């Protein structure tokens, strides 16, 4: 990082193989999905480098709604209101102009991007192949399922949804065991 700043200060042009320190004319805006600290830090980084950035979350209690960087917008919950979320996203892309870069910073938004990848790809730039893979790995349940499918030695794991399922698991569990609420 020091070398980049030194080079930028000492020379009028950076080497061609370096990333520019500032946004260049014609660069797309960025839409960061997720208003937790990760998303807020990314938006701050982008804005400080001249990129127009938006941060979206469905929960107004997230840190992004207290940030001074970029534009923070409340979107519909992508899990509970998938059609409304997609409509919101497509409308935002039209308003932002061009074809913004779409960057998820929270698992719920990765899953939503994967579900709506075809529609979103008409309005945003993102790697469709990667988002599909990330969506598979975004939940602990799926990670455990994949580990079992591929013969990885993991502790017996159950995601109980009712008191009856807890009792059923307990009847066959070997103790000591870890139970997470």
């Amino acid at each position: 990082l020091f070398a980049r700043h030194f080079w930028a200060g000492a020379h009028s042009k950076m080497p061609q193989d370096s990333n520019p320190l500032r946004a260049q004319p014609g660069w797309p805006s960025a839409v960061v999905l997720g208003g937790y600290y990760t998303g807020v830090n990314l938006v701050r980084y982008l804005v400080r480098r001249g990129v127009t950035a938006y941060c979206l979350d469905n929960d107004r209690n997230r840190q992004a709604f207290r940030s001074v960087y970029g534009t923070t917008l409340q979107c519909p919950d992508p899990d509970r209101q998938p059609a409304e979320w997609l409509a919101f996203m497509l409308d935002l892309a039209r308003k932002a102009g061009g074809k913004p870069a779409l960057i998820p910073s929270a698992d719920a938004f990765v899953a939503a991007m994967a579900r709506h990848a075809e529609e979103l790809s008409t309005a945003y730039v993102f790697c469709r192949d990667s988002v599909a893979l990330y969506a598979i790995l975004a939940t602990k349940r799926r990670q455990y399922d994949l580990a079992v499918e591929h013969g990885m030695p993991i502790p017996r794991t159950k995601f109980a949804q009712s008191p009856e399922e807890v009792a059923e698991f307990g009847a066959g569990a070997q103790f000591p065991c870890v139970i997470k609420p």
Side-chain angles (χ1 to χ4, degrees):
L1 186 59
F2 171 78
R4 282 195 359 195
H5 286 287
F6 172 78
W7 184 267
H11 296 75
S12 62
K13 283 190 159 189
M14 292 183 59
Q16 288 185 344
D17 60 341
S18 293
N19 286 328
L21 293 175
R22 302 280 307 153
Q24 303 299 302
W27 278 22
S29 57
V31 176
V32 176
L33 300 172
Y36 292 104
Y37 291 111
T38 303
V40 171
N41 288 334
L42 178 57
V43 168
R44 180 178 62 213
Y45 181 87
L46 292 168
V47 168
R48 284 180 173 175
R49 279 144 188 83
V51 175
T52 301
Y54 302 86
C55 191
L56 277 57
D57 205 296
N58 56 292
D59 184 347
R60 290 198 63 81
N61 293 316
R62 300 279 191 258
Q63 294 81 8
F65 290 94
R66 294 185 296 278
S67 175
V68 297
Y69 293 98
T71 300
T72 303
L73 301 170
Q74 185 173 17
C75 65
D77 185 316
D79 292 328
R80 294 191 179 117
Q81 301 167 294
E84 293 85 350
W85 181 80
L86 178 60
F88 179 91
M89 294 302 298
L90 296 174
D91 186 52
L92 176 60
R94 281 188 291 278
K95 289 176 181 173
K99 199 169 182 181
L102 190 56
I103 308 167
S105 71
D107 292 347
F109 293 106
V110 173
M113 284 177 64
R115 275 193 306 274
H116 303 288
E118 187 171 333
E119 299 96 329
L120 291 171
S121 67
T122 65
Y124 291 94
V125 175
F126 64 97
C127 183
R128 286 179 65 175
D129 295 338
S130 294
V131 83
L133 177 61
Y134 295 148
I136 290 170
L137 299 174
T139 66
K140 294 232 184 299
R141 180 176 297 184
R142 186 64 181 131
Q143 290 173 11
Y144 285 120
D145 290 346
L146 285 169
V148 169
E149 277 178 43
H150 295 282
M152 292 182 72
I154 65 165
R156 183 170 161 239
T157 304
K158 172 73 176 172
F159 289 87
Q161 300 297 313
S162 68
E164 294 79 24
E165 289 181 5
V166 172
E168 179 186 322
F169 180 81
Q174 293 181 352
F175 293 89
C177 73
V178 175
I179 299 174
K180 290 177 161 183

